Amino acid sequence: LYAATAAAAGLWIFQFILILAGYAILTALFRHSITVIFNRRIPTTRNRLSSSFGVHLQMLRPLEILWRYMTRRYRVLPDVLVLGEVRCGTTSL
């Protein structure tokens, strides 16, 4: 029981570090694109900074789609597809 709990905690820590690394990369990309690509200063107020960061995340969406297209062969397809209508009980299967 203790080994399973320790393994779950280790996995949680690994996922947390991975998320932090992702945000660090996004922040570095954000700073680079503001200063180098768009030749602007980084916004100083929190409101303008969050707005600008959100716009950058929207611009990265096509890159995510391209990445998913390029790596489609390596993802696992589901074994079972459950088809159903609204309120027909497929959730409880």
Side-chain angles (χ1 to χ4, degrees):
L1 181 64
Y2 177 74
T5 307
L11 182 64
W12 183 84
I13 291 170
F14 177 72
Q15 289 175 342
F16 183 73
I17 290 171
L18 214 56
I19 290 170
L20 282 179
Y23 275 115
I25 291 170
L26 274 176
T27 304
L29 180 66
F30 171 70
R31 288 177 171 272
H32 171 76
S33 64
I34 289 283
T35 56
V36 176
I37 298 171
F38 298 116
N39 198 19
R40 301 272 190 259
R41 280 186 261 150
I42 296 175
T44 54
T45 61
R46 181 179 222 126
N47 192 17
R48 291 182 65 196
L49 182 65
S50 63
S51 167
S52 180
F53 190 70
V55 169
H56 276 74
L57 286 179
Q58 288 174 354
M59 289 189 323
L60 290 175
R61 178 72 176 147
L63 293 177
E64 178 188 351
I65 292 169
L66 181 65
W67 173 258
R68 290 185 59 78
Y69 179 75
M70 290 183 343
T71 60
R72 70 188 183 278
R73 292 185 187 145
Y74 307 112
R75 284 190 302 262
V76 179
L77 293 175
D79 293 329
V80 177
L81 292 175
V82 177
L83 303 175
E85 278 291 321
V86 178
R87 301 187 54 84
C88 67
T90 54
T91 305
S92 63
L93 291 176

